[in-house]
Amino acid sequence: MGVLLTALFIGDPGRIDRQKPWLRVLTGTVIAFMTVANLFAAARLVDDILTNNKLFADNAIGLLATGGVVWVTVVITFGLWFWDLDRGGAAARAHQPFANPALVFPEMQNTDHAPAGWVPVFADYLVLAFWTATAFSPTDISAIKRWAKLMMMTEAVASLGIGGLVIARAINILQ
């Protein structure tokens, strides 16, 4: 992971605006690596809960902490996916900021309340991922492309499943 991140920083230092196919592939690879690693962590956590493994048998705090780390990583990775896929990624948005959006933010529709030429940045996609994981809905951001709708649905299901299992088991083992 460190090698991949170093290659990304060397390939496009500073503002992410270089449109090179290898950078796009590398960015997707880094995010996919994070996603798969977290998927394995979540699967192990769910397996530990469902098989009543001794790891969390009497440790509600450890269970909640582990579940929290998995959940936060879900939010971060989905935020990165939204950021990387909307409008062709950060580099494409730097060159054509208003082309072909998959997600419509309120600032795009309420131009009286946003600076001229407003475009979303990573923090906006992270907020979308956070609200999708906590409210199980997009709140004020609309997904207008099918892939974005399916990603939001996947994140909500993952968040609900992990959160529900972890909290239910932690309550069950609290003294």
Side-chain angles (χ1 to χ4, degrees):
M1 185 64 139
V3 171
L4 294 175
L5 287 173
T6 301
L8 277 175
F9 289 128
I10 291 171
D12 196 1
R15 186 169 182 242
I16 301 170
D17 60 356
R18 292 188 183 164
Q19 290 185 294
K20 295 182 180 176
W22 71 271
L23 283 170
R24 183 100 168 106
V25 169
L26 194 57
T27 300
T29 302
V30 168
I31 301 169
F33 182 82
M34 289 176 58
T35 303
V36 170
N38 200 48
L39 178 65
F40 281 118
R44 182 162 182 230
L45 178 63
V46 168
D47 182 59
D48 285 347
I49 291 170
L50 295 178
T51 60
N52 203 16
N53 190 323
K54 299 295 181 201
L55 184 61
F56 297 118
D58 295 319
N59 188 358
I61 302 297
L63 176 62
L64 288 170
T66 303
V69 169
V70 170
W71 182 83
V72 166
T73 307
V74 165
V75 171
I76 291 169
T77 55
F78 273 91
L80 286 167
W81 279 123
F82 293 135
W83 171 78
D84 186 53
L85 295 175
D86 187 32
R87 301 173 212 201
R93 280 192 305 275
H95 295 279
Q96 294 181 327
F98 306 107
N100 200 18
L103 299 161
V104 177
F105 292 81
E107 293 86 351
M108 297 163 75
Q109 295 176 320
N110 301 310
T111 56
D112 294 341
H113 303 291
W118 182 92
V119 292
V121 295
F122 176 68
D124 299 300
Y125 295 103
L126 186 61
V127 166
L128 167 64
F130 177 80
W131 288 127
T132 302
T134 55
F136 311 119
S137 67
T139 62
D140 61 346
I141 300 163
S142 298
I144 56 174
K145 299 277 174 98
R146 283 187 188 102
W147 68 260
K149 293 173 186 179
L150 292 172
M151 280 188 68
M152 292 170 80
M153 185 175 72
T154 302
E155 182 187 10
V157 167
S159 182
L160 181 62
I162 292 167
L165 276 174
V166 168
I167 292 168
R169 179 66 182 139
I171 288 171
N172 194 28
I173 62 177
L174 282 174
Q175 299 294 328

